[in-house]
Amino acid sequence: MPDTRRSWKEVRDRIHQKILSGQVRPGDKLPRDADIAAEMNCARTTVQRAMQDLADSGLVERRRKGGTHVRRDPVTRATLDIPITRNEVEQKGNTYGYQLIGRETLAPPHSVQAAFGQNLPGPMLHVQALHLADARPYILEDRWICLQTAPEILDVDLSETSANEWLVMNKPYDDLTLRFYAEKADEKRATLLGTDPGDALLVIERTTWISGAPITTVKSSTEPGYQLISRS
Amino acid sequence: MPDTRRSWKEVRDRIHQKILSGQVRPGDKLPRDADIAAEMNCARTTVQRAMQDLADSGLVERRRKGGTHVRRDPVTRATLDIPITRNEVEQKGNTYGYQLIGRETLAPPHSVQAAFGQNLPGPMLHVQALHLADARPYILEDRWICLQTAPEILDVDLSETSANEWLVMNKPYDDLTLRFYAEKADEKRATLLGTDPGDALLVIERTTWISGAPITTVKSSTEPGYQLISRS
DNA sequence: ATCAATATTAAGTAACTACATATTATGTCA
DNA sequence: TGACATAATATGTAGTTACTTAATATTGAT
């Protein structure tokens, strides 16, 4: 085998290597795609793919005309998968349970409006529900659903189907913000989650939009000890 | 303009639309790339790119021969950028400060060994340091560095340069695990972070490897109120 | 010298082609 | 019938060409 063609992954790894072995330093400009292609004896498209990947993972920055530069503020870029809670529970081998706690149509409080920024969401459905793993409280969700964008939710029997699942299956979103933080369990949440007030809870806030219009925002308080782990 | 060529993003969005408008349901098989290309009047490469993107974002699954299927357990896939702490602080317009608390060569405790799995890391440097924003405690890091993989760290003046920065700049990794959870501040951490014991802290654990060899593992306890926010 | 029009550059996108690879289906021989 | 080879199939990867787009540099007119 004289000189097997190198895949874009090889090209990527070579450049990756160069960057972090110090041959090329943060802020440095890399050669043009075409030159790298010539040097590595491959097509520009291959270099393009490699560079795209490096750019996606936060290692380099590319600008038309400007060329490709090694980022001077390298970031750790990680991907998280947040599954539907039912699947998450069943994946772990536990039995999934669901319990509706409250449901009411209401004008959203200011904190919820803030989550949506400019676009005022109008009247919303406020749903509180508990997800269970083997009958133990797992995640407590406090959700607001925009009735302008998702009026069909009013016809859904939320004591049967969780809003979580219904929305994921029926209301596609094209924009999403996630927010993670730690919070002390207050009296009410502690009771519902079967833990003690003051316990540290990981909270996940998720807000979704479809073409600019708000769909839903959820504040999920997880059971004590819950961990989020990045994809490899 | 009769029929402008459609980009791979248009193709992606059209399919995305189909999937979540219910025209195609979770588990369903999508037509072959070639057929979609014909239908949409574009090249297969364009469909390929579109499909790749949908697969990357967790919406569909592709298998050679098997074809493309809509995932039956859709996940919310989010990307997080975790910058170097100095940059994070300065980005917010605060002054960055750094303070070394402790430094010692030590055999790692079992919990640290566990983070690395099988590969035993050997002797390690244990470093504790505090990152400050406007002279207020921001992140407390408790780090273990593998001396086999990164012996040069012993020559670094860690009272000047943070291990965080030195490692990011000098020790490339090719594998990384992140873990997020909430934890109550214990007495010691509360003091260092200038808060009260029992406060809920968001903890970020990061472990890195290079070609299978452990580099470092950090447990970063963030100031109360700290939030992680996903990239758009 | 200033500003605007124009050219140049380097990445971005897309078409078409060809072959690779993984997987499934089929067929043949013992 | 069962094991194994073979064919068919759909995605994956790579090359080549051509054109687009955004950013920069140059030119030229005032």
Side-chain angles (χ1 to χ4, degrees):
Chain A
M1 220 177 292
D3 184 31
T4 177
R5 279 193 306 195
R6 42 192 104 277
S7 70
W8 66 269
K9 285 181 184 175
E10 288 179 85
V11 174
R12 178 197 59 189
D13 291 344
R14 275 229 229 165
I15 296 167
H16 187 125
Q17 204 61 19
K18 271 196 190 177
I19 290 174
L20 290 130
S21 68
Q23 284 182 61
V24 198
R25 303 209 59 87
D28 282 3
K29 185 174 181 174
L30 291 168
R32 344 187 323 237
D33 290 7
D35 292 345
I36 292 178
E39 189 194 324
M40 298 216 184
N41 192 41
C42 67
R44 181 164 80 86
T45 36
T46 310
V47 178
Q48 243 276 129
R49 270 179 99 57
M51 286 301 201
Q52 279 288 358
D53 200 62
L54 289 170
D56 282 350
S57 60
L59 250 155
V60 303
E61 263 175 333
R62 318 193 81 203
R63 283 205 327 278
R64 281 177 166 161
K65 167 80 181 176
T68 308
H69 291 259
V70 180
R71 278 189 72 139
R72 58 180 74 246
D73 56 338
V75 289
T76 300
R77 193 161 287 174
T79 308
L80 288 177
D81 276 356
I82 303 195
I84 294 179
T85 307
R86 172 196 293 276
N87 294 335
E88 184 179 344
V89 168
E90 290 175 349
Q91 199 93 47
K92 291 199 209 173
N94 298 321
T95 316
Y96 174 75
Y98 166 78
Q99 198 179 313
L100 180 65
I101 293 168
R103 199 202 105 120
E104 51 181 345
T105 305
L106 209 63
H110 205 69
S111 66
V112 169
Q113 289 188 29
F116 287 115
Q118 315 297 34
N119 328 42
L120 30 143
M124 301 189 93
L125 185 67
H126 182 211
V127 180
Q128 285 181 298
L130 193 58
H131 300 272
L132 307 157
D134 283 348
R136 280 184 43 78
Y138 186 63
I139 291 179
L140 173 66
E141 71 167 61
D142 185 283
R143 184 186 291 270
W144 293 82
I145 303 162
C146 177
L147 290 175
Q148 226 122 65
T149 316
E152 310 93 317
I153 192 73
L154 291 171
D155 301 327
V156 179
D157 180 4
L158 291 175
S159 60
E160 267 301 310
T161 316
S162 82
N164 180 4
E165 278 173 62
W166 188 86
L167 283 162
V168 170
M169 294 306 204
N170 296 281
K171 281 287 154 184
Y173 56 83
D174 57 15
D175 195 16
L176 150 97
T177 306
L178 286 176
R179 199 178 285 266
F180 309 99
Y181 55 91
E183 208 172 48
K184 274 190 187 177
D186 50 38
E187 198 72 52
K188 189 183 172 197
R189 268 187 296 176
T191 310
L192 287 167
L193 282 171
T195 180
D196 304 315
D199 258 9
L201 306 178
L202 178 67
V203 177
I204 305 170
E205 274 187 24
R206 175 182 358 189
T207 308
T208 54
W209 289 265
I210 180 79
S211 52
I215 302 175
T216 188
T217 183
V218 212
K219 176 172 172 177
S220 297
S221 306
T222 61
E223 61 160 4
Y226 186 94
Q227 293 195 347
L228 266 173
I229 299 172
S230 72
R231 286 170 51 80
S232 55
Chain B
M1 222 178 289
D3 185 29
T4 176
R5 280 194 305 194
R6 41 193 103 276
S7 70
W8 64 268
K9 285 181 184 176
E10 288 180 84
V11 174
R12 177 197 60 187
D13 292 345
R14 275 229 229 164
I15 296 168
H16 187 124
Q17 204 61 20
K18 271 194 189 178
I19 290 175
L20 290 129
S21 68
Q23 283 181 60
V24 197
R25 303 208 61 87
D28 282 4
K29 185 175 181 173
L30 291 167
R32 342 187 325 236
D33 290 7
D35 292 345
I36 293 178
E39 189 194 323
M40 297 216 184
N41 193 40
C42 66
R44 181 166 79 85
T45 36
T46 309
V47 178
Q48 241 279 128
R49 249 175 118 31
M51 286 301 199
Q52 280 288 359
D53 199 64
L54 290 170
D56 282 350
S57 59
L59 250 154
V60 303
E61 262 173 334
R62 319 192 80 201
R63 284 207 326 279
R64 282 178 166 161
K65 170 75 181 179
T68 307
H69 291 259
V70 181
R71 278 188 71 138
R72 55 180 74 247
D73 55 337
V75 289
T76 299
R77 193 161 288 174
T79 308
L80 288 177
D81 276 355
I82 303 196
I84 294 179
T85 308
R86 171 195 294 276
N87 294 335
E88 184 179 344
V89 169
E90 290 176 348
Q91 198 94 45
K92 291 199 209 173
N94 298 321
T95 316
Y96 174 74
Y98 166 78
Q99 198 178 315
L100 179 64
I101 294 168
R103 201 202 105 120
E104 49 180 345
T105 305
L106 209 62
H110 205 70
S111 66
V112 169
Q113 288 188 29
F116 287 115
Q118 315 298 33
N119 327 42
L120 31 143
M124 302 189 90
L125 185 68
H126 182 211
V127 179
Q128 285 180 297
L130 195 58
H131 300 273
L132 308 156
D134 285 347
R136 280 183 43 77
Y138 187 63
I139 292 179
L140 172 67
E141 72 168 58
D142 186 284
R143 183 185 291 270
W144 292 81
I145 303 162
C146 177
L147 290 174
Q148 227 122 64
T149 317
E152 310 93 317
I153 191 72
L154 291 171
D155 302 326
V156 178
D157 180 6
L158 290 176
S159 61
E160 268 300 313
T161 316
S162 83
N164 180 4
E165 279 173 62
W166 188 86
L167 283 162
V168 170
M169 292 308 203
N170 295 280
K171 282 287 153 184
Y173 55 84
D174 57 16
D175 195 17
L176 150 99
T177 307
L178 287 175
R179 198 179 286 266
F180 309 98
Y181 55 92
E183 208 172 48
K184 274 190 187 176
D186 51 36
E187 197 73 51
K188 190 183 170 197
R189 268 187 295 177
T191 311
L192 287 167
L193 282 170
T195 178
D196 303 315
D199 257 9
L201 306 178
L202 178 66
V203 177
I204 305 171
E205 273 186 24
R206 176 183 356 191
T207 308
T208 55
W209 290 265
I210 179 79
S211 53
I215 302 175
T216 187
T217 184
V218 213
K219 175 171 172 177
S220 297
S221 305
T222 61
E223 62 161 3
Y226 185 93
Q227 293 195 347
L228 266 172
I229 299 172
S230 73
R231 289 170 48 80
S232 58

